[in-house]
Amino acid sequence: MDDTTLRKTLGLLQHDSYDAQAWAELSRFLDGGAIGPAERPRVASLLGAARTAHEAHREFDAATRLAVMQVALLEGSEDELEAAAVLARLADEDSADDRIAQRAYQKVASLDPTANWVREPLAKIEQRSTRLRDLLGKIVDDLDRVREPVARVALLVEAGELKFRTMRGEDEGSDAREKWTLESRQHLEEALALDPRNRRAATLLELLFSGRGEWADLASVLQRHAEPIDGKDERAQLLLRAAKIYHIKLQNIEKGADLYRAVVELSPGHDEATAALVDFYNAQENWEALVGVYESQLARQSLTDPGIALQVAMLNWKMRDRPDLAEPYFERLRQVEPAHPGMLAFFRGWCAERGETGRLSNILREAERHMPEGSERASVAAELARLAEKGTDAKKAIEHWRTTLRNDPKSVEARESLKRLYGEHGEWGPLSDLLRGELDAATEAPVRLVLLKEMAELYRRQGKSETTLVTIYSQVVELAPDDRESLLELARIDEALGRWREWLAVQAKLAAIETDLETKAARFRGIARRWLEQFSNAQQATEAYEQVLAIAPGDAEAFTKLQELYQKRRAYPALATLLEGYVAAHGGSVDQWLELAKLTGEKLGKPTEALKWYRRVLDAEPDRTGALDGFEKIAEREKDYESLVWAHEQRVAAASDDNARSQIYLKLGALYGDKLGDTTRAAGAYEQVLRITPSQPKALRMLRDIACAARDLAMLEGLYGPDPAHVADGLAHAADACADAAFKIEVLLRAADRAGVSSADSAIRLYEKALALSPGETRAS
């Protein structure tokens, strides 16, 4: 339990000293071991203050219980002696509990051996314990003979107290305890009946009834004792205790309210009784009675205490719906507290309903004067400004808004209103100063952005120089690079001022944020033209045209200009990429293919690519001689014999005379045979030569070699025509060229066979030659 909870628990006991749950909570806290040595004096002090309050209210049992707890907390401290002495006095003199009193007196004696004053009360306690019968016997004898009221009351109280103290010493529920309780009650009630003012009799009955939880009897005792009391404060205190018992313990709320009313009549403004009545009437929604409670208090209080006036005013306004009755009380409150928020809220509605704008303005001005600097005062100043605006008094409105802004520099409404009023009345200077002040104070980008735009609009309306606007729009764009409207305005100003480099930078930003592709391409196109026309900057223009082409691949201007720029700058890779892209997208022309062939072959060192483009040109236009020359040159340089063959084949097809074709076939034969090792195709080429020029020696020689290598006798024989003599002669010469000995003999034998037709001598020589190579050759023999 922290200090707050402890104070709350002690407060509950002040309200109801018989609250069992609160006592249980307090005991758990004190017995739980959670209070450290350093905290004990502080807790004991709180208990002491509560004890004193209960004593003042004559709630002695509660005071004694708290004193017991206080002594336990202070054990071993320098304050223990004083606390024990207080407990001894309370238990002995007020709550009549001999057991507690005896222990407390003994503790005092042990702590201070010089405390001789405890001897007498200890002796009396001892005497009551040991001589109870004698004491009671004497009192009873006296009661039998005494009839005079005052003396009899004294004897009755003495007998009742002695039996009450004895009852305190008996066990709970025992017959002895019940006997002493009954007898004590009889004596004390008789004493109170004879003398209702007798405080001791009333106190002992209170202790007896509260200890037994007999709440109705306790309330009755308190009321009976209060009736004859002359002192208003004491009487009010007794009635208050009775009221709380009816209210809390007996749940008789009506009876409790009657007694609370009696307390308020005796002690106007009594806080606890008034609060209870307020709760009672609130629960009943008896607003008339509640107003009566407050008005009775108000009549007894000075004007300097506005609390009750406020309560009456609020009840009439909110609960009774009688603002006409509330108005005088709010006005009374206003005289004392001109800035009271509840009062101001009332007059706002009251004056608005009656159209009393002037009165409301006066009330608010008075309130503003009595308010400290801050947000509340700024709010009232703003309200005054709004009222002034409604009254079309712009000058006053501006004044109030300025006051509002001084009191609350963060007031958005004040700033916006001032901007609007300045603008409406053409006060450009103050408006400009206001915006600049805001801009200087602003740190967040979104806020600065709004202010800069407002300043730009203001300067445009004022017709300020374009140079100033450039500065403002540049700051806008720095904060918001994608602010299209500001970029367009900045571009317009740059163009008007001839600030071309700045214009180009802005156009680039516009192009970057543009979403419409056609517009985006147009912006880059404009940038490229400006770089060329204004600055002759091929590099920047190239980059811009490249952007155009990336957006619009079919853009003719960008394509043409980039071709020129790449050529001038000898940017051959870029030019090739450009052309390839265009061809891929649009097919391109033969001239473009040819250009690509030359680029890749001559400038970029990509023979394979070059051959591909040359082939494409020649497929489309076979008579492009230059293309074929280029193709053949690259193929020859790269030793690409298949491609070279293809080029010669194209030349054959295009050749205009036999001699040219014959020469090309000779080359083809050499390529097939020497470079590709394809004797079949080589033979075909040489045969084509012989068809054109039958006796062409190289073709004959090459075919002869091919036939010998292939051991193709028929092919070899066919080379020399139908004349047997000519065939014999050719075969004889061919045999000399055959490397294979067996085939050479075969060729010689065939030559001899052909020679025998026309010349036996020639045939014999050939057979002899064959026998010389192979002596066992039977045919030759």
Side-chain angles (χ1 to χ4, degrees):
M1 184 184 292
D2 56 22
D3 269 9
T4 303
T5 310
L6 175 60
R7 290 176 190 275
K8 182 179 177 182
T9 305
L10 293 173
L12 290 172
L13 291 172
Q14 290 294 324
H15 178 63
D16 176 11
S17 63
Y18 309 115
D19 188 334
Q21 185 175 351
W23 283 114
E25 287 289 332
L26 187 59
S27 296
R28 277 196 293 273
F29 168 61
L30 296 173
D31 298 338
I35 307 172
E39 297 173 318
R40 287 175 177 269
R42 176 177 52 78
V43 176
S45 177
L46 291 173
L47 295 178
R51 170 187 53 75
T52 302
H54 283 291
E55 278 190 78
H57 296 155
R58 302 188 60 78
E59 295 169 345
F60 297 121
D61 256 356
T64 302
R65 291 180 74 172
L66 289 171
V68 170
M69 295 174 178
Q70 191 178 15
V71 169
L73 276 172
L74 294 172
E75 185 177 1
S77 72
E78 59 183 14
D79 296 323
E80 183 183 8
L81 175 62
E82 183 182 351
V86 170
L87 174 59
R89 175 185 57 76
L90 266 172
D92 189 13
E93 298 175 10
D94 295 318
S95 61
D97 193 324
D98 284 349
R99 289 183 301 174
I100 295 176
Q102 186 178 36
R103 288 195 295 270
Y105 282 130
Q106 288 170 348
K107 183 176 280 291
V108 171
S110 67
L111 292 171
D112 181 9
T114 65
N116 296 323
W117 61 272
V118 303
R119 293 177 183 174
E120 183 179 348
L122 278 172
K124 285 183 178 180
I125 293 170
E126 180 65 26
Q127 187 181 41
R128 284 194 291 268
S129 173
T130 58
R131 297 184 56 215
L132 176 63
R133 187 178 298 276
D134 293 342
L135 292 172
L136 284 174
K138 184 179 183 304
I139 294 171
V140 168
D141 290 342
D142 289 343
L143 280 172
D144 287 342
R145 61 182 177 78
V146 174
R147 289 291 176 265
E148 194 276 320
V150 174
R152 187 170 179 81
V153 166
L155 287 171
L156 287 168
V157 171
E158 185 179 358
E161 181 170 349
L162 184 56
K163 291 180 178 183
F164 180 80
R165 288 177 183 271
T166 305
M167 175 272 293
R168 289 265 205 190
E170 299 293 343
D171 293 335
E172 289 282 348
S174 66
D175 292 341
R177 187 179 182 92
E178 288 299 314
K179 170 182 173 298
W180 293 120
T181 300
L182 179 60
E183 292 179 6
S184 174
R185 176 174 181 170
Q186 290 171 344
H187 292 314
L188 294 170
E189 285 187 333
E190 184 181 349
L192 199 62
L194 292 170
D195 181 13
R197 295 172 181 267
N198 191 288
R199 178 177 289 181
R200 188 59 178 168
T203 299
L204 290 168
L205 280 172
E206 287 177 39
L207 292 169
L208 189 150
F209 290 141
S210 64
R212 293 171 64 84
E214 296 175 358
W215 306 116
D217 291 329
L218 175 56
S220 176
V221 167
L222 291 168
Q223 281 183 273
R224 278 187 289 151
H225 184 48
E227 285 173 6
I229 299 296
D230 294 328
K232 287 187 176 181
D233 289 345
E234 185 178 357
R235 188 178 179 190
Q237 188 63 44
L238 288 167
L239 290 175
L240 177 66
R241 291 175 63 198
K244 289 198 286 186
I245 288 169
Y246 276 115
H247 186 191
I248 299 169
K249 299 300 182 185
L250 299 174
Q251 297 294 303
N252 190 337
I253 297 171
E254 293 287 346
K255 181 65 175 176
D258 289 340
L259 291 173
Y260 283 130
R261 275 191 290 271
V263 173
V264 171
E265 287 174 7
L266 289 167
S267 179
H270 190 287
D271 291 341
E272 192 170 0
T274 300
L277 281 176
V278 168
D279 290 343
F280 175 69
Y281 291 136
N282 265 320
Q284 290 188 324
E285 297 186 0
N286 187 346
W287 312 128
E288 298 289 340
L290 189 54
V291 167
V293 171
Y294 285 131
E295 285 182 334
S296 67
Q297 287 184 285
L298 192 61
R300 294 172 173 84
Q301 292 185 354
S302 68
L303 190 61
T304 56
D305 183 2
I308 304 302
L310 174 63
Q311 294 295 336
V312 177
M314 294 297 290
L315 275 169
N316 281 319
W317 180 28
K318 295 292 186 182
M319 301 305 182
R320 301 177 71 190
D321 196 22
R322 291 293 305 274
D324 55 320
L325 297 180
E327 191 270 342
Y329 290 100
F330 277 122
E331 181 60 34
R332 182 176 177 179
L333 175 61
R334 191 175 78 82
Q335 302 304 318
V336 181
E337 199 171 334
H340 191 284
M343 174 272 296
L344 293 177
F346 170 79
F347 278 115
R348 286 183 181 109
W350 176 264
C351 294
E353 286 178 7
R354 286 157 182 73
E356 296 177 357
T357 306
R359 183 184 181 191
L360 180 57
S361 295
N362 291 333
I363 290 171
L364 290 172
R365 272 195 294 273
E366 180 72 13
E368 184 187 15
R369 282 195 292 272
H370 286 81
M371 286 178 175
E373 297 288 339
S375 60
E376 190 177 356
R377 185 172 183 179
S379 176
V380 171
E383 193 172 354
L384 282 165
R386 287 191 287 271
L387 287 171
E389 282 195 62
K390 284 181 182 177
T392 65
D393 191 340
K395 187 175 179 181
K396 253 185 188 175
I398 287 173
E399 217 173 277
H400 286 307
W401 284 125
R402 282 175 174 165
T403 302
T404 304
L405 202 58
R406 278 197 301 274
N407 290 326
D408 183 9
K410 294 181 179 179
S411 173
V412 175
E413 185 184 10
R415 289 186 179 279
E416 294 304 317
S417 298
L418 281 173
K419 290 176 194 176
R420 175 172 44 76
L421 289 168
Y422 286 148
E424 288 173 359
H425 296 84
E427 295 192 26
W428 307 122
L431 179 53
S432 176
D433 292 340
L434 180 64
L435 290 172
R436 286 197 175 280
E438 283 190 273
L439 186 62
D440 291 341
T443 55
E444 296 180 0
V447 179
R448 290 182 61 82
L449 192 60
V450 171
L451 291 169
L452 285 166
K453 286 190 174 184
E454 288 180 5
M455 289 181 70
E457 181 61 26
L458 170 63
Y459 288 148
R460 285 176 63 185
R461 288 166 64 187
Q462 287 182 264
K464 288 275 186 179
S465 68
E466 302 280 36
T467 307
T468 307
L469 283 171
V470 164
T471 304
I472 294 173
Y473 279 121
S474 296
Q475 291 181 63
V476 171
V477 171
E478 186 178 345
L479 290 171
D482 57 349
D483 190 315
R484 190 171 187 276
E485 184 180 341
S486 297
L487 285 168
L488 286 169
E489 192 62 23
L490 195 53
R492 180 192 65 76
I493 297 169
D494 285 336
E495 187 172 15
L497 296 176
R499 292 159 41 93
W500 297 115
R501 288 192 180 276
E502 290 79 2
W503 180 90
L504 284 165
V506 173
Q507 288 294 332
K509 290 176 181 178
L510 278 166
I513 65 169
E514 191 64 65
T515 55
D516 180 72
L517 295 181
E518 187 176 343
T519 307
K520 194 181 190 81
R523 291 205 182 280
F524 278 119
R525 200 180 297 115
I527 291 170
R529 290 171 185 168
R530 182 61 59 186
W531 278 118
L532 282 177
E533 295 166 10
Q534 194 74 31
F535 300 105
S536 301
N537 191 322
Q539 173 65 32
Q540 295 288 356
T542 298
E543 291 176 4
Y545 275 127
E546 285 173 345
Q547 291 284 358
V548 174
L549 213 56
I551 298 162
D555 191 273
E557 179 184 336
F559 180 77
T560 304
K561 288 293 185 182
L562 281 173
Q563 271 190 290
E564 295 174 6
L565 290 166
Y566 288 151
Q567 286 283 8
K568 285 180 181 177
R569 297 174 58 217
R570 298 183 180 181
Y572 299 124
L575 179 58
T577 302
L578 174 70
L579 290 169
E580 286 171 354
Y582 185 85
V583 168
H586 307 287
S589 65
V590 175
D591 289 338
Q592 288 170 336
W593 302 342
L594 184 59
E595 188 174 357
L596 273 169
K598 291 177 180 178
L599 268 173
T600 53
E602 298 170 12
K603 306 298 184 182
L604 302 180
K606 295 180 178 180
T608 304
E609 290 290 311
L611 291 173
K612 179 190 75 174
W613 290 114
Y614 276 127
R615 283 286 294 266
R616 192 164 178 175
V617 171
L618 292 168
D619 286 342
E621 294 184 9
D623 56 347
R624 282 260 182 166
T625 310
L628 192 56
D629 290 343
F631 182 92
E632 188 175 335
K633 183 179 179 181
I634 291 172
E636 191 168 359
R637 185 179 68 227
E638 296 301 316
K639 295 183 172 51
D640 184 350
Y641 299 119
E642 287 288 359
S643 294
L644 196 56
V645 164
W646 183 87
H648 289 326
E649 288 174 346
Q650 300 306 304
R651 288 192 182 280
V652 167
S656 58
D657 59 75
D658 287 343
N659 184 51
R661 277 196 294 275
S662 175
Q663 292 301 315
I664 295 168
Y665 277 128
L666 282 172
K667 291 180 180 179
L668 275 170
L671 280 171
Y672 288 138
D674 298 342
K675 304 302 182 182
L676 299 176
D678 188 342
T679 54
T680 302
R681 291 168 71 190
Y686 288 128
E687 286 171 354
Q688 291 292 340
V689 173
L690 292 178
R691 288 192 187 94
I692 299 167
T693 310
S695 59
Q696 214 286 333
K698 182 176 180 181
L700 285 171
R701 185 174 66 254
M702 296 307 294
L703 280 171
R704 181 198 66 193
D705 292 343
I706 291 168
C708 286
R711 296 174 57 86
D712 188 342
L713 188 57
M715 177 184 172
L716 189 61
E717 190 174 3
L719 291 175
Y720 302 111
D723 181 15
H726 186 64
V727 171
D729 187 49
L731 288 173
H733 284 91
D736 293 336
C738 290
D740 184 275
F743 185 64
K744 181 183 285 194
I745 293 168
E746 190 173 347
V747 172
L748 287 171
L749 290 173
R750 178 62 62 87
D753 291 341
R754 293 290 182 264
V757 175
S758 58
S759 171
D761 290 338
S762 295
I764 290 170
R765 281 197 303 273
L766 290 169
Y767 284 133
E768 288 175 345
K769 197 171 183 179
L771 280 171
L773 292 172
S774 178
E777 175 58 53
T778 55
R779 281 184 59 209
S781 301

